[in-house]
Each structure stands twice: as structure tokens, then as C-alpha cells.
Amino acid sequence: MKVAIIHYHLATSGVSSVIERASRELTRRGIAHVILVGQCSQGMAETLPVRVVDGLAYSDAPLDPQGAENILDALRVAATDALGAPPDLWHFHNHSLGKNRAIPLIVSILASQRERLLLQIHDLAEDGRPENSRNISDIPNLYPIAPQIHYAFINSRDRHHFIKAGLPAANAHLMPNPVSDADSIPRTTSKTPNTPALLLCPARGIRRKNIGELILLTLLAPKGTRTAITLAPENSQWLAIHDRWEKFCDANHLPVEFAVVDRIAPNPNSDASFESWISHATHFITCSISEGFGLVFLESIAYGKPLIGRKIEHISNDLAKHGIEYDGLYEKILIPADWVPHAILEKHVKKSFTRLWQSWNREAGASECESVMVSMDHDGFLDFGNLPEALQETIIEKLLDPDHHAIPQLLINGRTRSLKAWIEDSLTQNHQTQAPQVPEAFTIAAYGEQTIAIHAVMMTQIPSPPAALDPNEILETFLVAGEFHFLKSTPDPNID
């Protein structure tokens, strides 16, 4: 069996890490494969079977079917040259994310030619990425279905949505991301009661990571606590928000460091590598409001780091099936509603909600906006995590005022408690131990075994002409007025 793996790039990202780990496992098991990408870091190009093909990298350029045919021809040439024969199976990662029109058009063409396709969904444009909508909204057969076309999902929620929309369950595989071996990370001694905490957010500081909440928690943490975010966004829109927060922290002398990896060392006697930051961190922290998989929840186990922060329900549900539960994560940070004038909140809602709906060619009526306002009211409180950055800033500034003494509350396990008391208690949970055993389902070996098993099943399918799911049915599972979230909408640069 010969496999062609296609993605936009192989650079620093979660999907790239998955592809790298899968490739090494396929090589170990003797499976002939090639990785076809638009861009590749030098390190990966030197150690993996990679071919760079022009036209696959992130792009907003318009592209017609003939342009996609030309890129597909280049893919076929590169794959055949690398494998010695045309691939038996094409394995696409995030084909429908909308980062480049070429890839979903190529998938549509290959589907019409009855090629075997494995479409692995890590992230969805429909799930809070409205800026990508223009690249997929008119793609024919965005989600093709046929016996020889299978899908892999990294969480049960997305799999359920696609099955509900008409994808046969036998062709819909739950395929969690593999966790890397943490043995190469040196262990530091456990934090002592007198040692300030170092909270590490091992992620790229994009908008959905909810940077304002990381800052809020740092502000209310015991004196001396530091927080570090490992990487900056690459997208210019998200980078502007990231940089605004960095300037805010500098101006207010808040101990939050940004894009620290390979730039700043955790202490004067260490280097600035990712491994060094992990080694010196006392805790991992996540305030993300949306994740496809949420690797940090498993990495905290692999690296033996206590995890604090915000719970994501569908990820918690999947992990609980493997015996992994985080009772100390909260559902919401509750801010008294009168801290944000109603008229100002309503203005933000109308602007952001309308922009979100319009990006998907939907009309946002008054009743939908009212539904959003109702859904945001939690018995007289607002969730800090579901506020735009400008309003998050005003709340942090309020808490910086020495004359202000009210403290936000947490909703945790269905009950409320003081945020300040919670974080003080959480930072005493500082047992830095040898890594417990990551469940077998999340190991690289299990991932390789499952990948090969899916490929083998697909090779037995008799190719048939494809049909397609209705993409509107997928969109409507995510575009729900009562579930609107500011940090999953398009930011408005003209509103403060």
C-alpha cells in the first residue's frame, strides 16, 4: 500500500506534530508514504519523506477548478516520483478548513474520480473561523461520501455532527491525536511552598486561547506567580490581538510573558527552548474556550504537570471515557453583569453577531441578537471568557484599582466559589512527579495501528460514484445564536 498525506504545511503546529508522529510510525511499520505540503520547516524536510508542492500553502487567492487541476497534476507527479507508483490512497488533513481553496477543490476532483480518500478533520471553519468561509462556501461536494471515502475525527462531538448530517457511521472514525514521548524532558524538583509558581500555556496565543483570562488569573494569583505563553500567532489578525495584550501587560506591569520559546529563558541559568520551559513550569494552564482535541489536557499527564484553568465540555467527556478527569477545572468565571454597562455589551453583541452571521451569508435578525443577550446572562453574571478583548481589559483595569475590592466568582462543578481562593488552592496542588501512564488510546503506537487499520479497510471498498453531505447541515450545528461566543467571531477593530 502506498499513501500520500496532504496538508498545507509542516511547521510548528498541532496538526504538523500529528503528521510527523504518524509518519515516523508508518516508517517504522514499513508503510510506503509521502507527505505533500506547500511549506516545510528545514528540520522536518531533512528527517521525513516530504515533497513541497506549490499551491498548497495557506492562501486567500481565488482559484477555479482548472487551477486546482493543475495543482493536482503536480501532486500526482510528486507522489508518483516519491513512491515509485501512484498512491493507492490519499490522506488529507483539514481539507475543509478554508485556509486554501485548492485543497477542497482537489478533494472534490479526486472524489469524482473515485479515488480512495481519508479526510481527517482536526478543525472546522464552521466552528468559529468565519474568516475562512469565503474559501469554502461555494465548493462543490465539500464533504463527499462514498464507500471508498472515510473520515477521521479527533473528538466525538464532530463525529456525531457528521453522522447526524448523513455520513455513514462505518466511514466515520474516532481517531484521537497521539501524545509524544515526554521522557526527553528533564524533570525539576517539586515546587516548594515558598517558590512562586510558573504557569505555562503551551500553545500559540491565538484569540480562542482567551489570553485576557490568562492575565486575569495571573493578576489574582499569589504574589510572584508568572505566566508564559509559548508561541505567537502567525495570522496577522490574531497577532494584532496578541500584541495588544502584550502591550497591556507591559503598561500595567503584569507578569505575563509572550512568545517565550527560543526568545526568553525561564530563568537566568537555563536556555529558552520549549523543553526548558516545560521543565521549569510548575503548572500548565489553559483558558481556551474552543479546541478540537485539547492536547494540553493529555500533555499535562505526560509531563507530570498539574493543570489549571477552563474546562471544555466535549473534550472532558471524551477523556472521561478513558478514566481521565480534571475536577479542578472551572466552567465559567462569573463577573457581575453591572460591571459592563448593558448598552455597551448590547452594542458589541449586535456588531459581532451580525458580522459573524453575514460571513456565512446569513441574516441576523433582532430575535437572534436578543437570544444572544439572554444566553449571556447567568443569573445576573457574565462569563469573563465570553467577552471581547476590549471589555476584558476594562474588567482587569477595574481589578487593578486598589480601591476595588470585589472579586470574581468561579462556576466549578456546578457550584460557585471565590476565584482568588480557587487559584490559591490550585497552586498548592504542585506535585511535579514522574509522568503517569498516558492511556493506550493516545499513544503513538496506537495511532499508527489505527491509521493502518483504517487504510486497510478502505482498500477493501469497491469504489462507487460519490454523493455529498449538505454543508449547511454541518454549519447549522455550530452556528447557533444561543451559543454565540465573542472569541469565535470576527473581531471588530472599530469598537472599544
Side-chain angles (χ1 to χ4, degrees), residues 237-306:
Q237 188 178 48
W238 307 141
L239 182 60
I241 294 173
H242 169 277
D243 291 351
R244 173 173 170 165
W245 277 124
E246 184 172 20
K247 292 176 183 176
F248 178 86
C249 288
D250 287 344
N252 290 284
H253 309 290
L254 293 167
V256 180
E257 298 169 290
F258 293 75
V260 296
V261 167
D262 296 332
R263 194 177 68 88
I264 304 170
N267 66 43
N269 300 315
S270 62
D271 62 67
S273 67
F274 180 65
E275 292 78 11
S276 177
W277 276 99
I278 290 178
S279 175
H280 288 86
T282 60
H283 300 74
F284 278 0
I285 183 169
T286 174
C287 294
S288 178
I289 53 87
S290 178
E291 295 283 348
F293 183 70
L295 196 57
V296 68
F297 295 92
L298 285 167
E299 286 179 332
S300 67
I301 297 174
Y303 295 128
K305 304 290 180 178

Side-chain angles (χ1 to χ4, degrees), residues 329-341:
L329 300 181
Y330 57 80
E331 290 91 53
K332 293 178 176 65
I333 292 181
L334 299 174
I335 303 297
D338 60 11
W339 286 16
V340 179

